Amino acid sequence: MTQDLARIRAFVQVFDSGGFSSAARQHGRSKALLSKYVTDLEDYLGVRLMNRTTRKLSLTEAGEAYYREASALLQQLDDLDATITDQTAEPRGMLRVSAPRNFGETTLAPAIYDYLKKYHKVTLDLRLEDRYVDLVDEGIDVALRISTMGDSSLIARKIADMHVVVGAAPELLKQHGTPKHPEDLRHLPCIIDVNLQGQSNWRFIEEGKTISVPVNGPLRVNSPLAARKAAVMGLGFVVLPSYLADPAVASGELVPVLAEFLPTGQTLQAVYPHRRHLAGKVRALIDHLVDWFQHHPIS
């Protein structure tokens, strides 16, 4: 069986490399041995797999069919080997992670840096940006996203529960009064964070049903931190993730309102592309984050 796999692998390597000489250089085998393996494979199968000339190497019709199946088989075997290795070896190598900027800077950073302290052989490429990142096209191993639903093309695992806060500065509440119902916000100044899902249509829950309230105000901004600052200065009501709102609430700069109408079910998720086997460094990071946020809840 080992010899059979060696012959199959030699055939695939030779074609992938564009010739026997290139394959020999890339894989540290002699050209003669690779040629023998391919010839032995052809003799065993009873068909010619490759057309060889001094200038060009091409596959026969039978070779093309065999190459497709052989490549898939070898990839599955390599994936299986990697999975077993990942389960028993310490995580290592480059790990590319994407996360929203403000969440990454304020809440994620301590958790993910603690992961680096545990796994010294991992090198982290942490990308904090407030845009949708295509994991496959941009080579991202895992993205941390705050969401209520998953992308069907990705695999997601819940890391922690999240919630939002609607708040305003005390001086604004003295001026306009405290809203009793989400509809009251239609006639009140609001700070609109364009990164927020729905932007100027804020979502609430009443008697189990979602209601959408259109809002307006003096400022539209693409940063929740800037939106928080505007609200603290009394420019309007604001919707903020709790990890950004809580410090201002604790200091008295913002007062929460409409808490009984706020939606639940938002979560922090780790998402990654569909893959047959999840790399050990990714699995270790996700497990670490789940444990971290169990002991350091996102308020």
Side-chain angles (χ1 to χ4, degrees):
M1 181 63 179
T2 301
Q3 192 77 351
D4 291 339
L5 282 175
R7 291 167 181 165
I8 295 171
R9 193 175 292 277
F11 164 67
V12 171
Q13 289 174 346
V14 167
F15 184 70
D16 284 344
S17 302
F20 288 91
S21 297
S22 296
R25 287 192 299 270
Q26 290 181 29
H27 300 285
R29 291 182 171 183
S30 71
K31 181 180 176 181
L33 179 61
L34 289 174
S35 179
K36 179 180 185 305
Y37 277 158
V38 172
T39 299
D40 287 348
L41 181 61
E42 289 177 325
D43 290 344
Y44 172 76
L45 296 172
V47 295
R48 179 173 288 276
L49 299 174
M50 290 180 171
N51 294 314
R52 308 166 179 80
T53 68
T54 55
R55 294 185 177 182
K56 186 178 180 181
L57 182 148
S58 62
L59 296 178
T60 64
E61 183 177 352
E64 290 180 356
Y66 194 81
Y67 172 82
R68 286 194 299 271
E69 297 298 327
S71 295
L73 172 63
L74 292 175
Q75 185 61 58
Q76 290 180 26
L77 290 173
D78 290 343
D79 286 348
L80 180 59
D81 288 346
T83 300
I84 300 303
T85 300
D86 282 342
Q87 289 176 351
T88 57
E90 181 181 2
R92 66 181 64 222
M94 176 64 72
L95 178 59
R96 295 177 175 86
V97 178
S98 170
R101 178 174 297 277
N102 294 135
F103 175 74
E105 292 172 345
T106 60
T107 306
L108 178 65
I112 211 163
Y113 296 161
D114 188 65
Y115 167 84
L116 284 179
K117 290 177 67 176
K118 290 173 62 177
Y119 300 108
H120 302 287
K121 296 180 181 179
V122 173
T123 302
L124 180 69
D125 179 357
L126 179 59
R127 305 179 187 183
L128 303 179
E129 45 196 349
D130 294 321
R131 67 178 180 87
Y132 181 83
V133 175
D134 189 308
L135 275 64
V136 176
D137 286 351
E138 300 183 41
I140 301 297
D141 294 300
V142 60
L144 282 303
R145 291 179 178 168
I146 300 170
S147 177
T148 55
M149 63 183 63
D151 184 328
S152 61
S153 67
L154 302 170
I155 302 172
R157 180 177 172 188
K158 175 183 171 181
I159 301 297
D161 290 314
M162 306 280 290
H163 69 273
V164 296
V165 173
V166 177
E171 65 182 80
L172 191 76
L173 294 178
K174 288 180 181 179
Q175 180 181 355
H176 292 282
T178 300
K180 305 300 182 184
H181 188 276
E183 289 289 342
D184 296 340
L185 294 173
R186 287 177 180 266
H187 313 294
L188 296 171
C190 295
I191 308 301
I192 298 169
D193 178 3
V194 298
N195 290 319
L196 187 71
Q197 187 177 20
Q199 297 194 10
S200 58
N201 289 284
W202 290 0
R203 297 179 181 178
F204 298 89
I205 299 294
E206 185 176 28
E207 296 179 352
K209 295 182 179 179
T210 300
I211 58 175
S212 180
V213 178
V215 298
N216 284 291
L219 176 66
R220 295 173 63 89
V221 63
N222 67 340
S223 163
L225 280 176
R228 183 181 70 178
K229 183 63 176 178
V232 166
M233 293 182 66
L235 289 178
F237 292 82
V238 70
V239 176
L240 291 170
S242 60
Y243 62 86
L244 290 181
D246 287 349
V249 171
S251 67
E253 294 175 298
L254 288 180
V255 178
V257 299
L258 301 173
E260 66 272 28
F261 295 99
L262 293 179
T264 58
Q266 198 172 56
T267 60
L268 173 64
Q269 298 178 349
V271 298
Y272 45 94
H274 279 291
R275 287 177 181 153
R276 186 180 303 273
H277 302 296
L278 186 62
K281 59 189 176 184
V282 176
R283 183 184 298 105
L285 173 64
I286 294 173
D287 290 343
H288 173 81
L289 292 178
V290 170
D291 181 71
W292 173 274
F293 286 114
Q294 283 179 348
H295 293 88
H296 305 80
I298 302 172
S299 59

